[in-house]
Amino acid sequence: MKAEYWLQLLVGVVILGTLAFLATSVYDMRGLLSGMTEKVEQTEQRVTRIADALPDVRTRVAWEELQAPMSGFVAVSIPVERTPGQWSSTIRVYDARTSELQAFQVTRSEREKDLPRYLVAGRIRAEGSLDPTFHELVTFANSERIPVTLPSGIDSQASFVIRSHSMEGYSDFIREFADDDPDTDDVERLRNWLEVAREIGALEELE
């Protein structure tokens, strides 16, 4: 009888111990799940705040790109066949420090007609990978509902606003493969892209 009593007591202790362990585990799991839920909610809130802030970030970046001071710009025209088999491009270099605009003429055969813009883009990207193209700046302006229309003869993908490099270096580089010395004009001082966009049509007509 005593053996049966101790056996029942032992079974009861095992059962109660198991139930207590399960109850503790459930409690711990609830606490863990509660903590995870709280972290998920905090993450979602952070993501929401970031998403809400992104339009403001994009707007600020666009506005700074449009208003940022510049050293000058290099504008390359789309090649045009002036005489049979000979394609001409005009490369304009504006120096904001001197307000001087240089216009280089470059003539190549049909096979090499795109070489001038490749040379210009390659040199600028090598020295200032963050200098924006005219195309990028037009996109920024449009995002700010500022209408900008470039002359159809400009290659916006191969034309750049230069932020900090010397424009003399670019002039010397282009002179190496241009047809002759550039035509030079003194023009109104331009300080940023918005001013360039406003005057680029008139500047393109200068020769």
Side-chain angles (χ1 to χ4, degrees):
M1 189 72 180
K2 290 183 179 181
E4 293 178 358
Y5 172 78
W6 285 111
L7 180 61
Q8 291 176 358
L9 182 62
L10 179 62
V11 171
V13 170
V14 170
I15 292 173
L16 289 175
T18 302
L19 292 175
F21 173 77
L22 291 174
T24 302
S25 298
V26 170
Y27 179 81
D28 291 341
M29 289 179 64
R30 285 180 178 176
L32 179 62
L33 290 173
S34 177
M36 291 178 63
T37 300
E38 183 178 357
K39 289 182 179 179
V40 169
E41 290 176 352
Q42 290 175 351
T43 301
E44 290 179 349
Q45 292 172 0
R46 286 197 295 269
V47 170
T48 300
R49 288 197 297 270
I50 293 171
D52 291 340
L54 280 178
D56 292 336
V57 172
R58 286 195 296 267
T59 297
R60 184 162 60 251
V61 169
W63 188 248
E64 288 177 356
E65 287 291 341
L66 299 175
Q67 297 279 6
M70 65 179 190
S71 297
F73 67 77
V74 179
V76 181
S77 71
I78 296 172
V80 175
E81 190 175 20
R82 303 291 186 189
T83 59
Q86 297 296 306
W87 293 73
S88 296
S89 301
T90 302
I91 304 176
R92 293 177 174 83
V93 179
Y94 173 75
D95 190 331
R97 182 179 59 84
T98 62
S99 298
E100 183 177 83
L101 179 70
Q102 296 177 316
F104 296 88
Q105 299 300 320
V106 183
T107 304
R108 289 289 186 273
S109 65
E110 183 174 5
R111 177 180 295 181
E112 297 182 342
K113 66 180 182 179
D114 293 319
L115 182 60
R117 52 182 171 174
Y118 293 155
L119 290 172
V120 169
R123 175 63 178 266
I124 293 174
R125 283 306 188 202
E127 292 194 352
S129 60
L130 298 180
D131 288 335
T133 65
F134 281 19
H135 176 77
E136 291 169 331
L137 290 165
V138 168
T139 301
F140 282 130
N142 290 339
S143 71
E144 292 301 295
R145 301 180 184 274
I146 301 174
V148 172
T149 302
L150 296 179
S152 59
I154 289 181
D155 185 343
S156 62
Q157 298 280 10
S159 301
F160 295 80
V161 163
I162 309 302
R163 295 300 190 203
S164 58
H165 289 84
S166 168
M167 301 308 298
E168 292 181 4
Y170 291 119
S171 294
D172 293 341
F173 171 70
I174 296 168
R175 187 177 278 106
E176 293 178 4
F177 60 86
D179 299 343
D180 207 341
D181 288 336
D183 294 327
T184 302
D185 290 283
D186 292 325
V187 300
E188 175 186 353
R189 187 186 178 202
L190 305 174
R191 296 166 296 179
N192 55 48
W193 166 248
L194 291 180
E195 295 182 358
V196 172
R198 185 188 66 214
E199 300 293 336
I200 192 66
L203 296 179
E204 192 183 33
E205 296 175 359
L206 295 175
E207 292 292 345

